[in-house]
Amino acid sequence: MRRLAHPVVRRMAAALAGLLIGLLIGPLLFALAVVGGSLMPANADAVPPDRGVTIYVNTNGVHTGIVMPTVHPLHDWRGRAPAADLPDPRRAGPWVLIGWGDRDFFLNTPTWAEVDPRVVLRAALGNDDTLMHVDHLQRLWRGPDLRPVVLSADQYRALARAIEADFAGGTAIPGYGPGDVFYPAHGRYSAIRTCNAWTGDRLRAVGIRIGYWTPLSWSVMRWF
């Protein structure tokens, strides 16, 4: 007769099989959640106002951010991100591009050629050390990477207040060039709450039609 495997061996084999199944199914479930969250609209019945404040959603292909007028009767960003914080204050302009993300990735990945998988993994696993990134823009441009969104006055006030609240205060940190700067931020970065999820969260909260979960640049930009 064939001898039965020892119970300990059977348990180890079952655990290993479960682990392998988890490793295969986990990424698939995550991918399905990304697609589902990106495609299902929150604020599905929202209608943009005919007149209001025009902001823009920007992407560099990986990160997204929100472009707003530096000075507007409803909000003035010069108090939060003054030109004096820039390496070259002359680079300040009529628009600011604001994004949020992991501190380590922001500061140690100035170009995509310098992406360190270890930094990416640490960020994905979760990190409370986050930054706001502010680019001062002297002009806007036309292109698929910059898409307009019209907000009502109340929506713009609410958006500006929410983004202001994400700044944690503290000393400005030099950016990548003469026209951008970082600031300490509130919030925990992870694979669930990415820079793009932050963009979606801020727009969704003021009533903009966008996906329920927007962890990727595509998840955000497809709505505009």
Side-chain angles (χ1 to χ4, degrees), residues 11 27 42 61 81-83 98 104 107-108 115 120 125 132 138 160 165 199 223:
R11 287 197 295 270
I98 300 181
D104 197 13
L107 296 183
N108 295 306
V115 172
V120 174
L125 292 176
M132 306 300 292
Q138 295 183 331
T199 303
W223 292 97

Side-chain angles (χ1 to χ4, degrees), residues 105 108-117:
F105 189 91
N108 295 306
T109 315
T111 68
W112 297 121
E114 297 171 80
V115 172
D116 185 337

Side-chain angles (χ1 to χ4, degrees), residues 103-163:
R103 178 190 180 101
D104 197 13
F105 189 91
F106 266 148
L107 296 183
N108 295 306
T109 315
T111 68
W112 297 121
E114 297 171 80
V115 172
D116 185 337
R118 293 170 298 179
V119 173
V120 174
L121 179 60
R122 283 196 298 268
L125 292 176
N127 188 356
D128 292 322
D129 202 359
T130 53
L131 295 175
M132 306 300 292
H133 187 208
V134 181
D135 271 292
H136 291 249
L137 306 177
Q138 295 183 331
R139 63 179 182 82
L140 298 182
W141 60 94
R142 294 181 181 272
D145 61 339
L146 189 69
R147 301 180 185 178
V149 184
V150 179
L151 305 183
S152 69
D154 287 343
Q155 286 177 316
Y156 185 66
R157 287 192 193 95
L159 177 66
R161 283 197 302 267
I163 295 176

Side-chain angles (χ1 to χ4, degrees), residues 19-224:
L19 176 61
L20 292 174
I21 292 172
L23 291 174
L24 292 173
I25 294 179
L28 176 60
L29 293 177
F30 186 81
L32 290 173
V34 169
V35 172
S38 301
L39 295 180
M40 291 190 302
N43 306 314
D45 298 327
V47 178
D50 294 329
R51 300 177 62 184
V53 184
T54 299
I55 66 168
Y56 296 83
V57 182
N58 168 258
T59 181
N60 64 8
V62 177
H63 291 285
T64 56
I66 300 172
V67 178
M68 295 164 286
T70 304
V71 181
H72 189 278
L74 298 176
H75 192 81
D76 188 336
W77 285 105
R78 292 175 299 181
R80 175 61 66 184
D85 286 346
L86 294 173
D88 182 355
R90 296 172 298 177
R91 293 295 296 270
W95 301 91
V96 288
L97 165 58
I98 300 181
W100 171 93
D102 176 73
R103 178 190 180 101
D104 197 13
F105 189 91
F106 266 148
L107 296 183
N108 295 306
T109 315
T111 68
W112 297 121
E114 297 171 80
V115 172
D116 185 337
R118 293 170 298 179
V119 173
V120 174
L121 179 60
R122 283 196 298 268
L125 292 176
N127 188 356
D128 292 322
D129 202 359
T130 53
L131 295 175
M132 306 300 292
H133 187 208
V134 181
D135 271 292
H136 291 249
L137 306 177
Q138 295 183 331
R139 63 179 182 82
L140 298 182
W141 60 94
R142 294 181 181 272
D145 61 339
L146 189 69
R147 301 180 185 178
V149 184
V150 179
L151 305 183
S152 69
D154 287 343
Q155 286 177 316
Y156 185 66
R157 287 192 193 95
L159 177 66
R161 283 197 302 267
I163 295 176
E164 280 268 9
D166 287 325
F167 285 79
T171 304
I173 302 167
Y176 302 129
D180 72 302
V181 63
F182 293 103
Y183 298 93
H186 296 295
R188 180 175 180 80
Y189 186 99
S190 71
I192 304 300
R193 191 166 192 260
T194 64
C195 59
N196 303 304
W198 175 87
T199 303
D201 290 347
R202 290 291 159 265
L203 296 173
R204 189 184 312 109
V206 300
I208 301 301
R209 187 173 185 267
I210 194 169
Y212 276 102
W213 182 40
T214 58
L216 304 177
S217 173
W218 164 83
S219 307
V220 174
M221 301 306 291
R222 69 172 304 275
W223 292 97
F224 307 107

